[in-house]
Amino acid sequence: MRISFAGISDVGRVRQENQDALAMPSLEGQAGGWLFVLADGMGGVAGGAQASGIAVSVVPREFHRALAAAGVEQPAERAPLLRAAVESANREIREQAAADASLTGMGTTLVAVALRRGRALIANVGDSRAYLLRAGELRQLSEDHSLVQQEVAMGALTAEEARNHAMKNILTRALGAEDQVEVDLFPHELKNGDVLLLCSDGLHGPVPDASIKELLGAASQPQDAAERLIEAANHQGGPDNVSVVVVRVDELDSSEQEPGTDTQSRNLEQGPGGLRGLLRRVFS
Ligand code: CA
């Protein structure tokens, strides 16, 4: 499998500090494949950047350590390892917050994609997103853990109403919010030419999906796409930190292609949902 990718995190036009964070793999990846992590921190002056920083350092470290220890060969077996790595980051954030009063209440979203042998495994907590552009169609692969998304799921709001809703910042899940974190995992079969996008709400808030699709589709390279997406968010006022990771599948080995495979996404662990642990974002 051969991929090309780019990631950019930008402070935007309004905020003083960038509390988003990215972890990008080396071009050749590691033995366990490539892992991309994007986190959007919250929780005051010190906490937000601290929480997202912990997420993007702990998750790759623990995931690759577990892969190396397990000698896992089958991509499907990576799911529990990725979940455990996210749980480790949650614990680390809770421990640091408990030890330092200035970090009380810090938390972060996390969206990650692990790629290997023609397969993608997406992990999500919060309202950062993973999208797939395939054959000109853009699809959101992750599900937002936010109050407005619950309203959309119940039919009380449309997606467009939710995008600009006054309460769109209220999350129902985040790393750091509780001792236990529930992680959504979505496995996907990839095809040649697929483009994956990870982004924070600094992109999908101000920039509608139709524009994201157009910009992703028009760009010749991931770097070009990433720059255009950041520009689009800033053109809309850049109200928040904005981060994007763009990954293009350039070539799958013949053994990796599974024609006819159902690409339907499937949440490996459907949780009870609910409103426990509501976390309101605090902006400095
Ligand atoms: Ca944000």
Side-chain angles (χ1 to χ4, degrees), residues 132-153:
L132 171 67
L133 182 74
R134 171 176 289 171
E137 290 304 317
L138 185 74
R139 191 148 60 97
Q140 185 180 337
L141 301 180
S142 57
E143 292 165 11
D144 295 354
H145 303 132
S146 65
L147 199 55
V148 292
Q149 179 52 39
Q150 290 190 340
E151 299 287 308
V152 171

Side-chain angles (χ1 to χ4, degrees), residues 107-276:
T108 184
T109 73
L110 175 134
V111 63
V113 59
L115 298 174
R116 190 188 189 201
R117 294 185 183 168
R119 295 182 185 194
L121 176 64
I122 288 145
N124 184 56
V125 177
D127 71 348
S128 295
R129 289 183 179 172
Y131 288 92
L132 171 67
L133 182 74
R134 171 176 289 171
E137 290 304 317
L138 185 74
R139 191 148 60 97
Q140 185 180 337
L141 301 180
S142 57
E143 292 165 11
D144 295 354
H145 303 132
S146 65
L147 199 55
V148 292
Q149 179 52 39
Q150 290 190 340
E151 299 287 308
V152 171
M154 290 188 296
L157 287 177
T158 67
E160 189 55 30
E161 286 166 345
R163 202 167 68 79
N164 294 307
H165 199 279
M167 302 223 290
K168 70 188 166 88
N169 285 327
I170 297 179
L171 301 185
T172 51
R173 288 192 222 170
L175 270 71
E178 296 183 73
D179 286 338
Q180 302 294 325
V181 64
E182 191 184 337
V183 184
D184 283 352
L185 291 162
F186 303 93
H188 267 274
E189 304 289 339
L190 296 170
K191 294 186 175 179
N192 278 320
D194 279 355
V195 178
L196 290 160
L197 168 68
L198 306 182
C199 65
S200 60
D201 68 335
L203 180 74
H204 69 72
V207 182
D209 282 8
S211 303
I212 293 174
K213 179 173 97 167
E214 210 168 286
L215 291 163
L216 268 186
S220 59
Q221 297 294 330
Q223 180 68 34
D224 185 30
E227 289 172 4
R228 290 180 188 212
L229 291 166
I230 298 284
E231 274 172 23
N234 284 330
H235 187 69
Q236 295 298 320
D240 194 1
N241 304 147
V242 52
S243 303
V244 301
V245 173
V246 179
V247 183
R248 189 179 64 200
V249 178
D250 292 324
E251 192 176 7
L252 297 174
D253 299 341
S254 54
S255 63
E256 293 170 339
Q257 297 185 46
E258 299 184 21
T261 302
D262 185 5
T263 58
Q264 189 71 35
S265 94
R266 180 167 60 92
N267 189 344
L268 288 180
E269 190 179 280
Q270 284 288 2
L275 294 175
R276 77 195 154 77

